[in-house]
Every structure is written in structure tokens, then in C-alpha cells.
Amino acid sequence: MRYAVLSDVHANLEALTAVLADAASEGALGILCLGDTVGYGADPVPCVELLGERSTRIVAGNHEHGVLGLVDLRWFNAAAPAALWTRERLGGDHQGFLSGLPLVSAIGEATCVHASPRRPEEWDYLVSEEDGYGAFGEFETRLCFVGHSHLPAVWSLGSGGPAHEDLAGAACHDRRISFHDGRRYIVNVGSVGQPRDRDPRAAYVLWDEDDRSVRLRRVSYDHTEAAAKILRAGLPRALADRLARGM
Ligand code: ZN
């Protein structure tokens, strides 16, 4: 079975549809969604509907909790206006769906969580080598998929010692990581809808259970249209401008 593992769509429908098309052409039959489907972008309703319908597994991120009022929006800084805008647009059905999402969901050899398997509701960022190594005691499966930082990376522990690889930037497109016996892995799949590694293309990961590997994909999409929608919606200009820079 091959899955598309994606995170941080952030209501960017252009990026999401481009990623789903790429995943289908690469033979992905399932979707694992790691949360932050909403926030920042102009299309929260279609993104929630598409992923709610298509995902094999879907968990909540801090932006779902912000929109639902479960996280104090003072922690959201510049993202707070978009969270309030999103809350107004999501009807009761959609808010009910989001409020029912778990924080952690396991499937096969993988654990899916938005930020960190360690205290998932604290929304810690796994960025440094130590951040990742410190989280291996907090899940029991061989793999853990995370998002949240919008920066693709992989950590592994086991026979042969610790290893970390930064997968940020354009050069890592189509990079394959094969899983070795006696090792466990944490994979940050990057962001579909708001990449922050100076590559404006959407990022996601293909997980092949039989081949025992992941492959990072970068997918071009119409970021000009996604940015124009953000401006037309009256959301902050900075949220539109950053899409072309991948920052
Ligand atoms: Zn995010």
C-alpha cells in the first residue's frame, strides 16, 4: 500500500489539488493528513471537505484548535485574524467534524500526529536534531509522521546510532529514504499550503509500506491564484506575499 502523507494544507486549495493529482499519478491509494488543514488561506471549506472525504486518517493541528476556540488566539500572533476569519466561514457541521478529530492516530507501522508525539496538545516544534531524538520514547510504532514546522526532515535512531537529515529546499525533490531493520524513524513531511524552506512548491511524502521507504515530493501549483484569493478575502497581505517566496 502506498500513502500520500500530507500536512499544513492551510486552506490552500490550489496546492492541495496539485498534490492530490501528483499523489494519484504516483500510485498513492490512501491519504494520511496530519492537520492544520485550515488557517492562513482562503479556501477552508473545500479543503476540509476534500480531506474529510478522502483521508484514510486525519488528525487535528493547532490551527483546528485555534479556529474551534480550544487554543487561546493570543498565541497565534499574526495568524489570529485568519483564524477568526476561518471560524466565521466554517458552519456548524464543519466545526463539528474538526472538533471530533483525534490528536494522534496510528495506522500499520506509523503514528500520525501534527506537532510532536510528546505531549501532542502542547504543539512543540521538532526542528533541531535533539528535538527529534527526544521524541522517540513517545510513540511505539516504527515510524512517526509529523508536520507543524513546515520544514521537511527525517530523524532516525537504532543500530548504527542516531541520524538526522534536513530535507528542506528544492534539491531534495524526489529524495528517497529507505528504512533499515533495527531502526525507527520520525519524518516531517513539510507543508502543502505554506512551505517555509524557500522552495514555493508544495511538499508532501509518499510512504510505500511494501518498499519500506518514503519519498519527498515537491509539486508546483498556481500560487499566484492562491495569493489572489487571500487578498480578495481581505486576509493580511503578508499571507499572500509569502507563497511566492516559500517563506
Ligand atoms: Zn501549520
Side-chain angles (χ1 to χ4, degrees):
M1 179 74 173
R2 187 173 291 174
Y3 293 96
V5 192
L6 49 94
S7 190
D8 297 273
V9 170
H10 286 300
N12 184 335
L13 184 62
E14 285 69 30
L16 176 59
T17 51
V19 159
L20 294 180
D22 187 76
S25 74
E26 292 290 331
L29 296 174
I31 296 169
L32 308 180
C33 175
L34 307 180
D36 275 13
T37 301
V38 299
Y40 298 132
D43 279 316
V45 169
C47 290
V48 167
E49 289 180 348
L50 198 50
L51 285 170
E53 183 185 305
R54 304 269 301 270
S55 297
T56 313
R57 287 283 195 280
I58 176 168
V59 298
N62 52 308
H63 279 258
E64 279 79 28
H65 278 212
V67 164
L68 294 169
L70 301 173
V71 173
D72 192 329
L73 289 180
R74 278 178 299 181
W75 297 105
F76 268 55
N77 303 317
L84 293 169
W85 180 92
T86 302
R87 186 182 293 170
E88 284 173 18
R89 264 133 201 103
L90 292 176
D93 283 1
H94 293 84
Q95 292 197 25
F97 170 72
L98 295 180
S99 69
L101 296 180
L103 289 173
V104 185
S105 181
I107 180 166
E109 286 197 303
T111 297
C112 300
V113 63
H114 180 65
S116 170
R118 182 164 178 264
R119 303 175 306 171
E121 71 287 351
E122 298 292 321
W123 315 111
D124 294 335
Y125 287 90
L126 303 185
V127 177
S128 71
E129 293 188 35
E130 292 68 30
D131 294 339
Y133 299 147
F136 275 92
E138 311 293 332
F139 63 99
E140 290 178 355
T141 51
R142 178 174 170 76
L143 300 171
C144 180
F145 291 113
V146 301
H148 194 44
S149 71
H150 300 209
L151 299 170
V154 59
W155 294 258
S156 72
L157 275 189
S159 54
H164 169 258
E165 189 173 355
D166 183 353
L167 299 176
C172 292
H173 170 58
D174 236 18
R175 181 93 171 75
R176 180 190 297 272
I177 310 284
S178 294
F179 302 138
H180 297 286
D181 288 338
R183 297 188 70 80
R184 297 169 69 226
Y185 297 81
I186 296 174
V187 179
N188 190 313
V189 303
S191 169
V192 170
Q194 196 193 78
R196 294 179 188 164
D197 60 354
R198 300 182 191 279
D199 182 351
R201 294 177 298 175
Y204 80 101
V205 155
L206 288 166
W207 170 36
D208 193 318
E209 281 185 303
D210 308 314
D211 188 45
R212 304 174 79 215
S213 68
V214 287
R215 188 152 51 94
L216 178 70
R217 300 283 295 168
R218 300 305 292 252
V219 183
S220 298
Y221 75 95
D222 189 354
H223 59 71
T224 307
E225 175 61 14
K229 284 183 176 176
I230 287 171
L231 293 178
R232 284 202 296 273
L235 288 161
R237 170 170 284 277
L239 297 177
D241 291 346
R242 66 188 304 169
L243 296 180
R245 301 196 307 271
M247 278 305 290

